[in-house]
């Protein structure tokens, strides 16, 4: 279904939708999209930002062969369909030698899904904390999927992807004026790779890659879970966003 213009309502209403969407997305991932040894949880506190959805792998691993990815797609045979792909070819071997592994009491955190909220951009310090902590996750080897349904503002004039990617590689980026919203999937690598789609209000949401290991991912069902969440959004409030059902 078409994306709504969430700038038309206050942050509290988006927060309500945000909470429902994260639960629906987590449930969808657990309903057969993730391989057997992986599972998704909502809002578990880990080192770094408080994420919306965590993807974890059981620890210790099962007795499956090390190269068995349980149905995950390989980039080499099924490259993600995105508007923009950026790869950092250089590897910083010193950083790899003492890379921090983020752990959770239920298993190893392998990926985080973050749905950007108005609060993430409410102040310079809030946005800087979001960017730095998100970059830290990638540097620690945790894959990241960022969903930003808000257009660039004074905190991120070139969008959230540009702000985050500049932590790794500063390069020019021009966002299409009619597609100011950003979906960005980050393969933590090595090498680190960004897969970015630019979308606009009234566009459908494409599925985005959620990486489980370098170059292996599952499709995150953004469109179907957004629709399911919208179906349960209070009917009395839908008119504030255009009234589409």
């Amino acid at each position: 279904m078409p994306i709504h213009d969430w700038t038309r309502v206050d942050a509290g209403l988006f927060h309500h939708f945000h909470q429902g969407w994260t639960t629906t997305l987590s449930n969808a991932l657990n309903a057969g999209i993730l391989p057997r040894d992986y599972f998704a949880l909502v809002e578990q506190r880990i080192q770094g930002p408080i994420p919306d959805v965590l993807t974890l792998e059981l620890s210790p691993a099962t007795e499956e062969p090390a190269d068995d990815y349980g149905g995950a797609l390989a980039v080499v045979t099924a490259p993600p369909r995105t508007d923009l792909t950026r790869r950092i070819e250089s590897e910083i071997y010193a950083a790899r030698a003492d890379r921090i592994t983020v752990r959770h009491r239920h298993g190893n955190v392998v990926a985080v899904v973050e749905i950007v909220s108005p609060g993430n951009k409410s102040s310079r310090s809030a946005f800087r904390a979001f960017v730095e902590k998100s970059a830290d996750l990638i540097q620690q080897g945790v894959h990241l999927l960022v969903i930003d349904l808000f257009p660039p503002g004074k905190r991120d004039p070139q969008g959230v992807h540009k702000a985050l990617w500049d932590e790794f590689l500063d390069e020019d980026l021009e966002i299409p004026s009619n597609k100011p919203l950003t979906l960005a999937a980050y393969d933590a690598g090595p090498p680190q790779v960004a897969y970015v789609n630019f979308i606009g209000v009234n566009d459908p949401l494409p599925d985005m890659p959620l990486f489980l290991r370098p170059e292996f991912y599952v499709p995150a069902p953004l469109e179907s879970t957004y629709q399911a969440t919208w179906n349960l959004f209070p009917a009395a409030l839908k008119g504030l966003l255009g009234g589409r059902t």
Side-chain angles (χ1 to χ4, degrees):
M1 69 176 300
I3 300 168
H4 301 89
D5 182 359
W6 289 100
T7 64
R8 297 176 59 173
V9 298
D10 62 34
L13 289 186
F14 182 75
H15 176 73
H16 175 82
F17 183 85
H18 172 285
Q19 295 295 94
W21 193 13
T22 55
T23 299
T24 304
L25 180 56
S26 178
N27 290 340
L29 291 170
N30 288 328
I33 292 176
L34 290 173
R36 184 180 66 187
D37 289 338
Y38 294 80
F39 55 96
L41 296 176
V42 175
E43 290 190 340
Q44 299 295 307
R45 189 177 294 271
I46 63 169
Q47 185 176 348
I50 301 175
D52 294 311
V53 179
L54 286 179
T55 304
L56 303 105
E57 182 180 20
L58 289 177
S59 178
T62 65
E63 296 180 357
E64 291 184 2
D67 60 351
D68 186 346
Y69 295 96
L73 302 172
V75 169
V76 66
T77 57
R81 297 180 178 180
T82 53
D83 298 323
L84 180 69
T85 302
R86 289 290 183 265
R87 180 183 302 267
I88 299 176
E89 296 292 352
S90 60
E91 297 180 1
I92 306 175
Y93 291 97
R96 290 178 61 192
D98 58 0
R99 184 168 63 186
I100 299 171
T101 301
V102 180
R103 295 180 180 272
H104 183 279
R105 66 187 179 88
H106 294 300
N108 294 326
V109 178
V110 297
V112 163
V113 179
E114 183 74 42
I115 301 174
V116 178
S117 70
N120 294 128
K121 302 181 181 183
S122 62
S123 68
R124 183 181 296 106
S125 61
F127 186 66
R128 189 63 201 157
F130 172 81
V131 170
E132 289 181 349
K133 292 176 181 179
S134 296
D136 284 346
L137 284 177
I138 297 173
Q139 290 168 343
Q140 293 165 8
V142 178
H143 309 291
L144 181 64
L145 173 58
V146 175
I147 302 165
D148 187 6
L149 300 188
F150 293 88
K154 60 183 179 181
R155 313 293 180 204
D156 61 335
Q158 294 177 287
V160 69
H161 165 68
K162 166 68 172 169
L164 178 51
W165 198 241
D166 278 355
E167 298 294 303
F168 304 96
L169 182 66
D170 191 354
E171 58 185 8
D172 293 335
L173 175 66
E174 183 174 348
I175 299 177
S177 59
N178 63 333
K179 294 183 181 294
L181 315 181
T182 302
L183 308 174
Y186 299 93
D187 179 345
Q192 293 150 344
V193 187
Y195 298 89
V196 185
N197 268 323
F198 299 111
I199 54 176
V201 172
N202 295 326
D203 287 349
L205 276 165
D207 289 349
M208 288 294 291
L210 178 61
F211 284 88
L212 306 179
R213 298 184 184 182
E215 299 189 348
F216 284 85
Y217 69 94
V218 294
L222 303 186
E223 172 72 12
S224 61
T225 54
Y226 184 99
Q227 173 73 72
T229 307
W230 177 253
N231 290 343
L232 299 176
F233 195 70
L237 299 176
K238 287 183 176 179
L240 299 175
L241 289 151
R244 293 187 297 274
T245 60

